[in-house]
Amino acid sequence: MDRTRRRLLNAVAALGAAALAAGCGPSAPKQAHFNSIDISGAEYARALDLPDTDGHMRHLSDFKGKVTVVFFGYTQCPDVCPTTMLELAQVKKALGADGAKVQGVFVTIDPARDTPQVLKAYVRNFSPDFIALRGDDAQTAAAAKSFKVYYAKVPGATPQSYTMDHTAGSYVFDEEGRVRLFTRFGTGADKLKQDLQELLREG
């Protein structure tokens, strides 16, 4: 066998051995599968600067170290808002000790009726750990825009009986404070729990 052919065969054998070794080694980590929409790396939902019900300015960075779920709604919402908050409270409880690592944040889109007192009582009905944020009209509009959240007033029979159309979904941030998921209304508590568990496993 001539020298050139021998070198070629040795090279092929070496490549085969390398491929076999790679196949026997540890497999690459699997990409997480989420029930919610994965928006990791999104250019929006990166800032949230609003006062809480005690008048203290809060920021997304305040919630680092926890998986944070942010929802824009209003306290007189008849269905979507209470259902969303109730499911999140159920998931937090179902996670057991890990539930302490989940932070619910409710942002009102109706500051005219949602006073700090009303908001505080509302979120505490679901969990004593949940936080409500309330800005003025300009702050609310800016926060909604930064999250690409839609909201609009729908007139009622009287000036105070209006309702609010709004985006029916929540934004989920990992423990590093990065936006990761958008979970649509109707996803359900079980699927949300699976998604939060996946993010908690990432640590």
Side-chain angles (χ1 to χ4, degrees), residues 71-72 80-81 84 149-150 165-170 182-186:
F71 177 78
F72 287 72
V80 173
C81 304
T84 298
V149 164
Y150 164 82
D165 277 347
H166 62 97
T167 299
S170 303
F182 178 78
T183 178
R184 292 192 182 102
F185 175 70

Side-chain angles (χ1 to χ4, degrees), residues 2 11 13 19 22 36 46 57 61 70 109 130 135-136 148 154 171 184 189 191 199 201:
D2 60 53
S36 306
R46 292 193 169 191
M57 203 68 173
S61 58
V70 177
I109 54 169
F130 287 175
D136 58 25
K148 294 191 174 182
V154 180
Y171 294 83
R184 292 192 182 102
K191 290 183 178 180
L199 290 177
R201 276 194 288 269

Side-chain angles (χ1 to χ4, degrees), residues 108-115 134-135 137 153 160 162:
T108 181
I109 54 169
D110 186 19
R113 294 183 298 188
D114 288 346
T115 65
R134 175 186 179 271
D137 289 342
K153 184 184 291 188
Q160 286 300 310
Y162 60 86

Side-chain angles (χ1 to χ4, degrees), residues 82-150:
T83 300
T84 298
M85 299 306 291
L86 179 61
E87 287 183 349
L88 180 55
Q90 291 172 340
V91 169
K92 186 176 171 69
K93 185 176 181 180
L95 287 171
D98 281 342
K101 300 176 184 176
V102 174
Q103 178 65 61
V105 178
F106 183 91
V107 181
T108 181
I109 54 169
D110 186 19
R113 294 183 298 188
D114 288 346
T115 65
Q117 294 77 17
V118 167
L119 278 170
K120 184 179 287 191
Y122 182 78
V123 295
R124 285 184 176 175
N125 278 331
F126 301 103
S127 172
D129 299 329
F130 287 175
I131 292 172
L133 303 181
R134 175 186 179 271
D136 58 25
D137 289 342
Q139 289 172 317
T140 302
K145 182 178 180 181
S146 74
F147 273 70
K148 294 191 174 182
V149 164
Y150 164 82

Side-chain angles (χ1 to χ4, degrees), residues 63-86:
F63 311 117
K64 274 193 173 183
K66 294 187 177 183
V67 170
T68 302
V69 183
V70 177
F71 177 78
F72 287 72
Y74 66 114
T75 63
Q76 296 193 39
C77 175
D79 41 34
V80 173
C81 304
T83 300
T84 298
M85 299 306 291
L86 179 61

Side-chain angles (χ1 to χ4, degrees), residues 5-41:
R5 181 175 173 132
R6 185 179 299 111
R7 286 177 178 170
L8 180 61
L9 289 175
N10 287 341
V12 170
L15 287 172
L20 184 61
C24 295
S27 58
K30 294 182 180 179
Q31 186 173 1
H33 170 73
F34 296 109
N35 299 295
S36 306
I37 301 170
D38 190 338
I39 58 171
S40 300

